[in-house]
Amino acid sequence: MPPYTQDRSGRRRLAAVTLLLVTAASAMTTLTSCGTDDDGDGARSTSFTPRPTPPDTSSFSGTPPSAPASADASVRASASAAASSASAAASSFEASVSAETARANAAATAELKKVPGGGNARSDVSLTGKPRAQTGGVLAVVVNITNRTDGQASYAVQVDFADPSGKVVESRIVGAQDLDPGEKVQPLAISRKPAEPVLTPRVAKAQRY
């Protein structure tokens, strides 16, 4: 083969290899520029946007409350609030009753100071014993007061407690105000003396006014 033929074949191979190297270098440059960002000081850092993935529900525990369960809890809360309100109303009523009784007894005490004898209403008053099991062991009697007149009236009653010898060792005063005709009330006369000796209660004075 003539010498120029070898030269032409060699140059073709050299040109092909050079073209291949240039193409590879260009591809590497393109890949690098697409996959890196320059932060301005010569250093490069990888930049990419991760694709969001759904949460792994296998690690969850418990279940959200159902609508009926939530409604039932709301009903129970309302019932509890209503019960608390009723309890507060009952306490308020008891306090008002005690205050009314205290006022009636104070008025009765003041009225009996003006009565020299046994009063004008002994026939309208009677006593009934109350079991100690219902009073915490203290001596208490029910004072039955009935307005037997045709008009409105108030009453003041003194109950004496006497020992076995007949000696009065304690007196209690109860009252009732503004009773209508035929109306009956039953306040309590409570002794503060010890259970022994046994005391006997009796109506000492009863005044209608």
Side-chain angles (χ1 to χ4, degrees):
M1 179 176 296
Y4 68 87
T5 303
Q6 286 183 336
D7 293 341
R8 289 179 179 176
S9 177
R11 286 197 295 272
R12 289 195 187 99
R13 287 195 296 271
L14 178 60
V17 170
T18 301
L19 179 61
L20 179 61
L21 292 174
V22 170
T23 301
S26 177
M28 290 294 293
T29 302
T30 301
L31 179 61
T32 302
S33 65
C34 292
T36 62
D37 289 331
D38 194 340
D39 59 7
D41 59 358
R44 295 179 180 272
S45 59
T46 302
S47 174
F48 63 95
T49 302
R51 177 177 298 176
T53 57
D56 183 7
T57 58
S58 64
S59 63
F60 292 174
S61 62
T63 56
S66 62
S70 298
D72 184 57
S74 177
V75 169
R76 287 198 301 269
S78 297
S80 178
S84 298
S85 178
S87 177
S91 298
S92 177
F93 174 75
E94 290 175 356
S96 68
V97 170
S98 297
E100 182 179 351
T101 300
R103 285 194 300 270
N105 292 350
T109 300
E111 185 65 25
L112 287 180
K113 290 180 180 179
K114 301 182 290 185
V115 179
N120 60 8
R122 291 174 64 94
S123 61
D124 294 345
V125 178
S126 65
L127 302 180
T128 303
K130 195 169 184 65
R132 289 181 183 266
Q134 299 176 12
T135 64
V138 302
L139 174 60
V141 292
V142 179
V143 183
N144 305 289
I145 304 172
T146 305
N147 181 6
R148 303 185 188 279
T149 68
D150 296 332
Q152 193 176 73
S154 296
Y155 288 81
V157 179
Q158 177 180 321
V159 177
D160 287 346
F161 293 89
D163 63 15
S165 67
K167 178 183 178 181
V168 175
V169 296
E170 184 180 20
S171 295
R172 306 295 295 168
I173 295 175
V174 298
Q177 294 182 311
D178 303 327
L179 299 186
D180 292 329
E183 185 178 357
K184 179 179 180 180
V185 295
Q186 296 178 302
L188 291 177
I190 303 173
S191 171
R192 290 179 172 81
K193 295 297 183 179
E196 298 292 340
V198 177
L199 303 179
T200 302
R202 64 189 183 199
V203 177
K205 292 184 180 181
Q207 181 72 11
R208 180 175 56 250
Y209 61 99

